[in-house]
Amino acid sequence: MLMITFVLPWFGPDSAGGAESQARGLARALLEAGAPVRVWASTGRDSFHPGEDSHYPAGHSELEGVPVWRYRPSPADERGVPRFFAAHPELLPDLGRFTVHELRLLGSLLGGDELYEAIYRERENPANCFIFMPYPFPGSFWGTLIAPERSYLLACLHDEPYARYGTYAFMFSRCRGVLANSHSEAELVRRLYELPDERICVAGEGIDLTPKGDGAVLRRRHGLGDEPLLLYVGRRDESKNLPMLLAYSREYRARRGTALRLALIGPGELDMGQAMYSPGLAEFAIDLGFLDERAKHDAYAAADIFVQPSLHESFSIVLMEAWLQGAPALVHTGCAVTADHARRSGGGLAFGSFGEFAAALDLLLSSLELRRTLGERGRAFVLETCDWAVVARRTAAFVGAL
Amino acid sequence: MAEQHDEDVAVILEALRSEVRARRAARGMSEDGTALSAIELELKHAAEQLEIARVVSAHWPLEGGSLYERAWALVHKVVRRGLKWYIPPIVEQQNAFNDAAARAIRLLIEAHAELRDQLAELRRQVEQLQESDGQGPATDGGNGSPPSLGDGGASAGEAAPPTAELQQLVERSARAEPPAALPDLGLRQIERELDEHKTVSAHWDLGGGSPLATARAFVQRVIRQYLRWMINPIVEQQNAFNEALAAAVPHLLAADGELRARVASLRQMRHAALSVHKERQ
């Protein structure tokens, strides 16, 4: 039976991040589906703790039944090329096809020669395949070049300048197949890299479908009363378009006089400069910081509207989690993935300007019935598409493991 | 040819500067006693001055009256042309920073003006509210209440229309919403540009492909090595200023953000007061 080897920068009980959660969920679901799985990652913690490169011990361990091997990170040479290739120059493509800064970007990200050695040893093994994720990391790039015939990319791709780099276009052209989290992501892969349909599979992504949040608990705990509540969950910085959400909410509240509250949930400390958050916003924008899973689901259940302003998502787990708890969503039209989710599910509206943001809030806040209906549509969509067992079966079938 | 063009640009710039200075002086006089505040005038002048002064040129006219002066001007031109590979790239880097800095200040001035407008509008509405006490309902300034959403929204007990229809309704309704300026969002981009351009370098790679280019690069490296006693301290001082200016902008943005939040809060309170007032009447 074919062994599926996940390769990603970080993996472990303390590792936060979308790709890390996805790898954990998918590896577990594949095991439950009867497919042999293992994970290869670095000894680092996660992208939120860049200095902690030796957080986990190197070598073998196990997480929730999934065998894990961790490798020590090591720096690339001055060009950005791993030193591993000094012993295997025949595996290197013509580096002249890539620009200097593209290679240097790879060199600046977490990778390691021990990992490349391990991939090299398994490159001819017909009973193994690799799933590299997410696409920008050196493990994915160099790993795909070392073992192209056995490489699948679980890319987590979104439309950003990096996606157009020559290095990544080359990697996508060399891999055996691409697993996309959404139809929009698959469309982007087709458009950017001209891959044929048979090399792309929309496997989707799963979430835990069992949590049941209690909105009253969260409102009570944070003294939110029964005021209309918008909810944002994610990194509280510019990369997720949070400054725009804060500015739009501030202006909406000023124009309408609504006693609207906006709750922010996310890992780490709130960086006021990054989020464009000022103390004067505190009377309506409340930073709840990092919440445990139970409290997070309570927050989804408490929200009148869940807002996902991010422009760069390849799936958006938090959007699915919010729908699972019946919260209607507001997404940005500039993000093809979340806008497509909202369109397919009927669980949310999209905005691309302040006018649309205000009109959508006017509409949704005016009718509890409407919010409930949209929330139910979203929930039905999640129950139908985000079951890990289904995602695991699609994934295993695509890579030939079932 | 290119040097001639640069010199023409410098002459034109100088002419423009003189004209703007004259225009500014004339307008300053004519605006005496108008409604424009002294602060607004100063800000306008500051913005104009930024536009005048932001471009550094390494190619000002070199002329001479007497034969002796003309001979020296010729020598200067030859030296300037000989250093074209060195000085203009440094100047261009500084100009990129100056451009971003001037835009940052202009945007901050505009953001300040927009905040003043918000406060003026707020004051007008409060006065109107006071005047209208017992004399009929006050207006809410045009964007206080949600625009009508027609009959597309669902009320209690009705089945909600398909989401696609609701989306169309949102897009239609959005057209009636007065635009929001939100200049603070645009300023974030400028902050990044300042960071990107704040360090001017006098030491970029001088490589060459062909033997001739390699030889030329070698000579240029020698000249650069010699001239570093003069050029590097200038670049370092300029970089210190660039760094200080780039570091000041985030604080200005934070101050702007805080003022904006407070004004928004006042507007929200004004709206709530207006609702109570209407109910009372």
Side-chain angles (χ1 to χ4, degrees):
Chain A
M1 206 167 194
L2 189 71
M3 165 70 78
I4 300 175
T5 306
F6 283 90
V7 181
L8 69 163
W10 302 282
F11 187 85
D14 308 328
S15 302
E20 291 75 11
S21 316
Q22 185 177 4
R24 277 173 76 166
L26 183 54
R28 217 170 36 217
L30 282 164
L31 265 188
E32 282 164 13
V37 172
R38 61 185 171 182
V39 175
W40 292 358
S42 79
T43 53
R45 183 172 175 181
D46 56 34
S47 63
F48 301 103
H49 301 84
E52 298 183 25
D53 281 353
S54 304
H55 182 76
Y56 302 112
H60 179 252
S61 61
E62 205 173 277
L63 180 67
E64 296 167 348
V66 178
V68 183
W69 276 264
R70 292 198 179 84
Y71 301 93
R72 282 178 286 263
S74 56
D77 67 18
E78 65 283 355
R79 297 170 300 168
V81 178
R83 293 172 204 282
F84 158 84
F85 287 100
H88 304 281
E90 74 284 358
L91 295 174
L92 272 182
D94 170 20
L95 294 179
R97 64 166 60 227
F98 310 126
T99 63
V100 171
H101 72 273
E102 290 175 353
L103 287 172
R104 284 193 182 148
L105 171 72
L106 284 166
S108 71
L109 299 171
L110 190 79
D113 293 323
E114 289 181 358
L115 172 69
Y116 305 133
E117 283 288 353
I119 295 169
Y120 180 74
R121 284 195 295 273
E122 286 289 290
R123 69 195 286 259
E124 305 287 357
N125 180 359
N128 176 69
C129 76
F130 294 104
I131 295 182
F132 294 105
M133 63 186 294
Y135 86 96
F137 282 87
S140 302
F141 180 77
W142 299 113
T144 299
L145 267 53
I146 294 168
E149 283 305 306
R150 310 199 185 284
S151 295
Y152 295 87
L153 290 167
L154 208 172
C156 305
L157 181 76
H158 42 73
D159 200 353
E160 59 183 347
Y162 299 138
R164 289 171 169 77
Y165 276 18
T167 39
Y168 298 126
F170 185 71
M171 172 180 73
F172 276 90
S173 75
R174 296 299 304 276
C175 74
R176 184 154 184 169
V178 177
L179 289 152
N181 289 331
S182 66
H183 291 277
S184 305
E185 189 190 354
E187 184 49 41
L188 184 63
V189 171
R190 275 185 214 104
R191 184 156 52 84
L192 290 182
Y193 311 120
E194 297 175 358
L195 256 58
D197 285 351
E198 60 272 19
R199 285 175 62 195
I200 305 171
C201 167
V202 182
E205 188 173 342
I207 63 167
D208 181 1
L209 299 176
T210 57
K212 176 124 185 65
D214 184 343
V217 170
L218 184 112
R219 282 183 180 267
R220 216 170 26 245
R221 189 178 304 140
H222 296 282
L224 293 171
D226 56 0
E227 289 168 350
L229 180 68
L230 306 187
L231 177 67
Y232 167 87
V233 180
R235 275 202 306 274
R236 288 158 297 162
D237 62 25
E238 213 170 356
S239 68
K240 295 287 182 183
N241 217 5
L242 180 58
M244 191 212 67
L245 173 60
L246 285 169
Y248 279 13
S249 308
R250 180 190 72 203
E251 183 63 18
Y252 180 80
R253 195 169 169 273
R255 287 189 180 195
R256 301 288 191 266
T258 319
L260 187 73
R261 309 294 287 267
L262 168 65
L264 311 174
I265 296 174
E269 290 291 310
L270 174 69
D271 180 331
M272 305 231 295
Q274 276 290 312
M276 274 180 76
Y277 183 91
S278 57
L281 297 175
E283 66 178 40
F284 83 95
I286 322 134
D287 178 37
L288 302 182
F290 180 78
L291 297 185
D292 62 34
E293 283 298 300
R294 190 188 178 90
K296 188 172 72 170
H297 292 294
D298 289 345
Y300 290 129
D304 288 289
I305 301 168
F306 174 77
V307 191
Q308 172 54 289
S310 172
L311 299 171
H312 303 297
E313 296 295 319
S314 70
F315 181 70
S316 189
I317 292 172
V318 292
L319 177 60
M320 302 301 157
E321 288 177 342
W323 273 333
L324 183 69
Q325 301 303 328
L330 202 47
V331 301
H332 201 289
T333 50
C335 179
V337 171
T338 54
D340 186 58
H341 284 327
R343 202 166 38 243
R344 282 173 193 271
S345 68
L349 298 170
F351 68 97
S353 63
F354 172 74
E356 289 176 0
F357 178 81
L361 285 192
D362 288 342
L363 183 62
L364 290 171
L365 293 176
S366 68
S367 166
L368 172 63
E369 194 63 32
L370 189 63
R371 293 200 298 276
R372 279 196 183 139
T373 305
L374 262 64
E376 279 161 18
R377 288 173 187 167
R379 181 175 160 78
F381 176 76
V382 171
L383 293 174
E384 187 189 323
T385 60
C386 297
D387 184 343
W388 270 124
V390 176
V391 176
R393 272 201 300 278
R394 283 194 206 118
T395 304
F398 184 62
V399 302
L402 283 184
Chain B
M1 187 71 183
E3 189 172 30
Q4 182 61 47
H5 173 74
D6 288 342
E7 284 178 5
D8 290 343
V9 170
V11 170
I12 292 165
L13 264 177
E14 185 47 41
L16 272 175
R17 285 169 187 170
S18 308
E19 193 183 323
V20 173
R21 271 198 293 274
R23 205 175 337 129
R24 195 187 74 179
R27 191 165 55 227
M29 283 162 65
S30 73
E31 279 165 358
D32 278 346
T34 67
L36 274 178
S37 72
I39 291 174
E40 282 171 327
L41 260 179
E42 283 308 317
L43 286 173
K44 273 170 78 85
H45 293 167
E48 286 170 0
Q49 196 59 41
L50 277 172
E51 198 49 41
I52 292 165
R54 74 179 166 80
V55 180
V56 178
S57 170
H59 292 278
W60 56 92
L62 288 170
E63 288 158 2
S66 65
L67 186 64
Y68 175 77
E69 286 170 350
R70 281 207 297 274
W72 267 117
L74 184 66
V75 172
H76 292 330
K77 279 182 186 171
V78 170
V79 171
R80 187 161 70 181
R81 173 162 287 209
L83 289 175
K84 215 173 158 184
W85 56 272
Y86 188 27
I87 305 297
I90 295 173
V91 170
E92 279 160 24
Q93 292 175 71
Q94 184 59 44
N95 278 338
F97 178 81
N98 288 0
D99 183 52
R103 255 181 306 139
I105 304 295
R106 279 202 304 274
L107 272 172
L108 276 166
I109 290 172
E110 282 165 25
H112 190 264
E114 198 259 345
L115 263 180
R116 279 200 312 277
D117 289 348
Q118 282 194 40
L119 279 170
E121 176 66 14
L122 198 56
R123 187 190 173 97
R124 190 189 65 74
Q125 288 166 5
V126 169
E127 285 169 0
Q128 198 179 18
L129 195 64
Q130 287 165 343
E131 280 169 18
S132 70
D133 233 358
Q135 297 172 24
T139 63
D140 60 8
N143 58 12
S145 25
S148 166
L149 290 168
D151 54 3
S155 55
E158 286 176 21
T163 308
E165 279 180 28
L166 294 171
Q167 183 66 42
Q168 285 169 3
L169 183 62
V170 163
E171 286 160 18
R172 276 203 306 276
S173 307
R175 289 180 210 129
E177 183 73 29
L182 306 175
D184 44 335
L185 289 178
L187 277 159
R188 289 300 301 227
Q189 174 60 28
I190 293 288
E191 193 186 339
R192 277 192 295 273
E193 280 180 37
L194 282 173
D195 256 356
E196 198 180 315
H197 295 299
K198 69 185 177 191
T199 308
V200 174
S201 169
H203 289 276
W204 57 92
D205 184 38
L206 288 170
S210 65
L212 183 65
T214 307
R216 192 172 53 210
F218 175 73
V219 173
Q220 288 174 344
R221 272 199 294 274
V222 170
I223 294 171
R224 189 166 68 181
Q225 184 78 4
Y226 166 69
L227 284 176
R228 66 182 182 173
W229 64 270
M230 181 171 75
I231 302 298
N232 287 11
I234 296 172
V235 170
E236 281 159 18
Q237 290 174 75
Q238 188 61 57
N239 279 344
F241 172 75
N242 294 356
E243 176 74 41
L245 197 145
V249 167
H251 299 299
L252 286 169
L253 295 192
D256 177 79
E258 183 59 20
L259 280 178
R260 243 159 240 291
R262 290 185 191 188
V263 171
S265 175
L266 286 174
R267 288 168 63 203
Q268 193 264 343
M269 284 161 64
R270 188 271 313 169
H271 193 281
L274 189 63
S275 303
V276 172
H277 182 82
K278 276 181 180 168
E279 274 171 24
R280 245 198 349 246
Q281 289 193 332

